[in-house]
Amino acid sequence: MGNFYQVLAILVAAVVVVWLFRRWRLPAILAYLVAGTLIGEHGLNITGDDSDYEHIAELGIVFLLFTLGLEFSLPKLVAMRHLVTDVGCKQVGLTLLIVILLALMFGLSGPTAFVIGGVVALSSTAIVIRQLSESGSIKRRSGQISVAVLLCQDIAVVPFLIVIPLLGEGADWGVLSALAIALIKGCFVVGVLLFAGRWLLPRIFNVVAQVRTDELFVLTTLLVTLLAAALTQFFGLSMALGAFLAGMMLGESQYKYQLEADIRPFRDILLGLFFVTVGMKLDWQALFQSPGSIALVLVLSLLIKISVIRILAVRAGESAKDAWASGFMLAQMGEFSFVLIALAANNGVFSTELTSILLGAGILSMAVTPFMISHARDWAVKLTLENNQKLSEQQQELSKPQRPLSNHVVICGFGRVGQTVSRFLKQENIDFVAIDIDPVRVNEAREAGENVLFGSARQAEVLHAANIEEAKLVVVSYGAPEQSFDVVQKVRSLSEHVQILVRTRNDDALTKLQEAGANEVVPESLEGSLMLVSQVLNLSGVPFSRIVRQIQAERKNHYNRLHGFYPGVDTDMSAGAIERLEFVHATLLNDDAFATGLTIEELGLTEKRVEILSIRRHGREIPHPSPKERLMAQDTLVLQGKPRRVERVERFLQEGE
């Protein structure tokens, strides 16, 4: 029972700390590490010997490397080969060399210095990719540089996993001897697994897939992963290496996405347990005894990686701004850094004190990562001020209109949507001027003869340069509602008569934009729905004239019939979304319901700002019932409105309160 309560303590700590960290928008990896430090032998000491859990937790790394192998795509690597080789691979090698030299200067041994170099050279794929995806920066050039570097770092993990166990066994031979032995063993194992992956695994999964049993497919995936891991371990190499190779062999198969979905629950749970066991090794006393060492390691690792990535990216032909931004994004240590630290500690390469120092520095570096990524571009701009002098001169030239205009269209944002609008305006010989903040795009467009201004449409000076006072229409093509809202307010403050047409991705901010002064708001999601509906009706035999009338009526009615929808499991139910969205909800009137026998008009639902879309009675539907319609017991009412209003009206219909 003792082990049971220890496992229970781990789960309780993990759940509570992960919940707290996610509320604070911090990475879950940090939460697992902190949970481990709280319950480990240097904390509350309620888990006993952590070696009991390490064997199970190591499977988390096995499954992590398996999914990494699934994502390892040779075509993707070839497409990004310029950035991967010139920035990614050189970053790993140069960082490794610098850290090794610094570690040797501090009196550490060669094997220890080598592993520390590997720990510092790696960045957090999980945190960086997630942060870039959430912020939309992954499509920017700095994001692409970061992805290329992360791809190379993920590949570099594999040789580190091979070498570290050998360093512990034969540190006296030196790093080169260990690498030579690892290379021989690795080539043999890779050859075996490549042969098995090419000829055996596809046939196995074809047979299993034909049985159409989910449980058997999951079991086969687990078996293949663990067998590959066991093979590499048998030859004295890392289990994670075998899992990576197995994943890589299956990454090009038709079962890739199903395999990833099957393995993800096991990977996430066991990986969390792994980071908990890593946290158990963190000695709080050592942290308090050597805060200077931790701060030194943290600062040096951040400065080295930022500087190396910046230098290499610029040498590869990237702009200084994007180079700096990528350096800030990738400055932290990664989840694989903790894997290497744990592996080095288990093989006697790291002492307990050094392990705690590196863990402390790694945890702190990951803690500041979200902040660094969110401010990376701002810092990069400030650090490239010396280059902005020439750029500002070019931008001043780009801010001047190419020709004077009147009774024209102003396009705010000259991205893909803005350029599409401009092409149709040119076909009809309608004058326009576009405003965009991207100097490269503006320069390219002006060289091609487009009438485009550089600047922000939120600035009055730029709008005056576009002669907003004499424009007949302003098209705001940004997708972000906050940016569009600011532009609408600024345009309306400068011109009361100009028509403003706003494009948004959905209808969340439709009312807000209209209140700010927009004459028309076109939500992409609703317009896309209307286009789809028109095609469906056309292919279903509905006369085209009737389709056009219905579509026009819906637009004239401000998409009212498209606003409400039935919520699902994946619907955003956060406080902000709840206030914006309208839901459709069906409620059944009980025999003793308050609304039974009353008309819709008598209930006063209009004042409650909830609409009855339809009534389902005795198997037939009454769409858009009149206010005089009297409700009956067992009627199913389809209500539309904001969630809280619908909830109140539902209670009112049943109880009269």
Side-chain angles (χ1 to χ4, degrees), residues 366-427:
M366 294 178 74
V368 301
T369 295
F371 177 77
M372 293 184 68
I373 291 178
S374 61
H375 292 81
R377 289 181 62 82
D378 296 334
W379 295 342
V381 169
K382 291 179 180 178
L383 288 170
T384 53
L385 283 177
E386 66 278 4
N387 298 325
N388 288 345
Q389 181 106 23
K390 296 179 181 178
L391 186 61
S392 63
E393 295 175 0
Q394 297 175 1
Q395 291 171 356
Q396 288 177 7
E397 183 64 28
L398 295 176
S399 299
K400 299 176 182 178
Q402 291 181 313
R403 59 183 183 274
L405 295 173
S406 63
N407 198 31
H408 58 289
V409 177
V410 178
I411 303 173
C412 300
F414 204 56
R416 190 167 185 175
V417 174
Q419 292 176 40
T420 301
V421 172
S422 71
R423 293 188 183 110
F424 281 86
L425 291 175
K426 282 195 293 187
Q427 288 180 6

Side-chain angles (χ1 to χ4, degrees), residues 395-515:
Q395 291 171 356
Q396 288 177 7
E397 183 64 28
L398 295 176
S399 299
K400 299 176 182 178
Q402 291 181 313
R403 59 183 183 274
L405 295 173
S406 63
N407 198 31
H408 58 289
V409 177
V410 178
I411 303 173
C412 300
F414 204 56
R416 190 167 185 175
V417 174
Q419 292 176 40
T420 301
V421 172
S422 71
R423 293 188 183 110
F424 281 86
L425 291 175
K426 282 195 293 187
Q427 288 180 6
E428 301 299 328
N429 295 319
I430 299 174
D431 286 334
F432 72 90
V433 59
I435 301 172
D436 199 271
I437 197 66
D438 188 329
V440 176
R441 180 185 295 148
V442 173
N443 190 50
E444 287 282 335
R446 287 173 72 101
E447 287 183 1
E450 304 284 3
N451 193 20
V452 187
L453 303 181
F454 171 82
S456 171
R458 287 180 277 193
Q459 295 178 347
E461 295 80 3
V462 178
L463 292 172
H464 284 310
N467 204 9
I468 192 69
E469 296 83 359
E470 298 186 34
K472 64 180 178 182
L473 174 65
V474 174
V475 179
V476 183
S477 66
Y478 308 116
E482 297 82 7
Q483 189 176 6
S484 299
F485 179 77
D486 293 341
V487 172
V488 170
Q489 280 192 319
K490 181 60 69 174
V491 170
R492 187 55 73 207
S493 68
L494 298 176
S495 177
E496 295 182 359
H497 68 275
V498 69
Q499 296 284 308
I500 303 177
L501 175 65
V502 183
R503 162 244 179 178
T504 62
R505 291 194 176 93
N506 48 54
D507 59 335
D508 291 355
L510 190 147
T511 303
K512 182 180 178 182
L513 289 167
Q514 289 174 337
E515 292 173 350

Side-chain angles (χ1 to χ4, degrees), residues 108-221:
L108 297 175
S109 66
T112 302
F114 176 79
V115 180
I116 294 176
V119 168
V120 175
L122 303 178
S123 304
S124 175
T125 302
I127 297 177
V128 174
I129 295 298
R130 180 165 185 166
Q131 289 287 122
L132 292 179
S133 299
E134 290 178 354
S135 64
S137 299
I138 199 165
K139 296 179 181 179
R140 291 174 173 162
R141 189 60 181 175
S142 57
Q144 294 176 0
I145 297 171
S146 300
V147 171
V149 174
L150 289 170
L151 180 61
C152 184
Q153 290 178 353
D154 289 342
I155 299 170
V157 171
V158 178
F160 281 119
L161 293 174
I162 296 173
V163 172
I164 290 176
L166 298 175
L167 293 177
E169 296 171 3
D172 294 337
W173 297 353
V175 175
L176 292 177
S177 300
L179 283 172
I181 296 173
L183 182 62
I184 296 172
K185 290 184 177 181
C187 290
F188 176 75
V189 173
V190 168
V192 172
L193 288 176
L194 285 175
F195 176 80
R198 184 175 181 85
W199 300 104
L200 189 59
L201 291 184
R203 289 171 171 79
I204 292 175
F205 278 98
N206 283 337
V207 172
V208 171
Q210 292 173 4
V211 179
R212 300 180 182 275
T213 304
D214 293 340
E215 293 85 351
L216 182 59
F217 198 90
V218 174
L219 286 172
T220 306
T221 304

